[in-house]
């Protein structure tokens, strides 16, 4: 199988799904002639034209709002938010409208809202957000965040084919740093299924996105100290793979919850509640959480390093 980057895998998924289904189109800021801020959509307009690769004005509400309307008319839009921080502009229409549409009138909203998330690149407080906790409290929305190129392609294809709204967060730190084998042939990674990235018996580290690599590096260090950590990559944040979470905790009896978003109100709290309610009798130690500090993301590289979770913090 060819080895490609995380970014190329996302691009391949878009090419594949637009070829497979003429209802799929891409809309966002600079997605056409410029090829996207990170070049994810490069080449799409040359193949599919400006009617299916639509350069939108700097108006996230218009991008997502028009996509919801188009989905009611049978289309399957993929919206790019140039930096995922600005998904906040679309909060009302995603949470109050798209997420509730099937419940209210039986009409699904088959849209994907995707964009670069996460820190580690000195993007500062407007270009480094991890927004999953904002939407975790909204029934009707699905959320994914891949950590590998294989999953980046397979999860995006699954998201585009899903009949309900899917938020697809892609960690910008991984775009060109992560490469792995990705099949040319068609495949999907099902929504709602976690993956075991490392087997272990002494501790479960439950995480996703770029923090998977922090967890794996920490697990190597712990192994040198005689501690075998299991690393669970959630991949899907809504719905969560509760079975995978609880099976790992039952095996190891210790758990560390790791995410890049700030600690207070983060997804780690929900994971801790699930484990506390359904696997308490397996625990031999308190549940631990490692996350970013409760602060806006700093611009300065040294401050951002102090702000983010690290291998050292996980090992400690």
């Amino acid at each position: 199988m060819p080895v490609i980057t995380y970014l190329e895998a996302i691009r391949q998924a878009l090419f594949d799904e637009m070829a497979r289904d003429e209802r799929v189109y891409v809309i966002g800021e600079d997605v056409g002639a410029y090829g996207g801020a990170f070049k994810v959509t490069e080449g799409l307009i040359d193949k599919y034209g400006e009617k299916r690769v639509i350069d939108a004005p700097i108006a996230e509400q218009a991008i997502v709002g028009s996509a919801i309307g188009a989905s009611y008319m049978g289309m399957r839009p993929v919206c790019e938010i140039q930096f995922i921080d600005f998904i906040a502009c679309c909060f009302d229409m995603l949470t109050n409208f798209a997420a509730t549409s099937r419940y209210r009138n039986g009409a699904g909203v088959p849209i994907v809202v995707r964009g670069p998330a996460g820190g580690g690149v000195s993007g500062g407080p407007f270009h480094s957000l991890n927004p999953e906790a904002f939407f975790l409290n909204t029934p009707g929305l699905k959320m994914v965040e891949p950590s590998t190129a294989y999953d980046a392609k397979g999860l995006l294809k699954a998201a585009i084919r899903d009949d309900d709204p899917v938020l697809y967060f892609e960690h910008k730190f991984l775009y060109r740093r992560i490469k792995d084998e990705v099949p040319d042939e068609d495949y999907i990674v099902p929504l709602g299924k976690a993956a075991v990235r490392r087997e272990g018996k002494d501790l479960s580290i439950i995480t996703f996105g770029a923090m998977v690599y922090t967890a794996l590096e920490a697990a190597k260090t712990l192994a040198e100290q005689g501690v075998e950590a299991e690393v669970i990559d959630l991949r899907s944040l809504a719905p969560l793979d509760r079975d995978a979470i609880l099976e790992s905790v039952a095996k190891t009896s210790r758990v560390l919850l790791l995410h890049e978003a700030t600690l207070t109100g983060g997804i780690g709290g929900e994971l801790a509640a699930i484990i506390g309610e359904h696997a308490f009798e397996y625990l031999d130690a308190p549940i631990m959480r490692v996350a970013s500090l409760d602060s806006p993301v700093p611009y300065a590289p040294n401050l951002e390093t102090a702000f983010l979770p690290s291998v050292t913090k996980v090992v400690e």
Side-chain angles (χ1 to χ4, degrees), residues 203-204 206 230 232 243-253:
L203 166 70
S204 300
I206 300 172
E230 180 157 284
I232 304 295
D243 290 343
I245 294 165
L246 298 175
E247 285 171 13
S248 183
V249 174
K251 179 169 73 169
T252 67
S253 297

Side-chain angles (χ1 to χ4, degrees), residues 116-132:
V121 296
S122 298
F126 290 110
H127 299 86
S128 305
L129 190 66
N130 292 280
E132 63 274 359

Side-chain angles (χ1 to χ4, degrees), residues 235-296:
R235 302 196 292 195
S236 181
L237 310 180
L240 286 164
D241 188 347
R242 293 187 174 212
D243 290 343
I245 294 165
L246 298 175
E247 285 171 13
S248 183
V249 174
K251 179 169 73 169
T252 67
S253 297
R254 286 175 170 80
V255 61
L256 185 149
L257 306 172
L258 172 64
H259 59 78
E260 190 180 309
T262 50
L263 181 70
T264 302
I267 193 172
E270 179 63 25
L271 295 169
I274 291 169
I275 294 164
E277 289 172 4
H278 301 288
F280 180 79
E281 67 273 20
Y282 294 109
L283 293 173
D284 289 340
I287 297 169
M288 297 174 285
R289 289 188 293 162
V290 176
S292 293
L293 303 178
D294 287 340
S295 161

Side-chain angles (χ1 to χ4, degrees), residues 108-138:
V109 175
I111 69 170
V112 176
V113 180
R114 48 157 291 270
V121 296
S122 298
F126 290 110
H127 299 86
S128 305
L129 190 66
N130 292 280
E132 63 274 359
F134 298 169
F135 298 101
L136 196 64
N137 193 234
T138 303

Side-chain angles (χ1 to χ4, degrees), residues 181-194:
E181 292 184 339
V182 177
D184 286 328
E185 60 268 21
D186 186 41
Y187 73 95
I188 65 165
V189 173
L191 307 184
K193 294 294 182 183

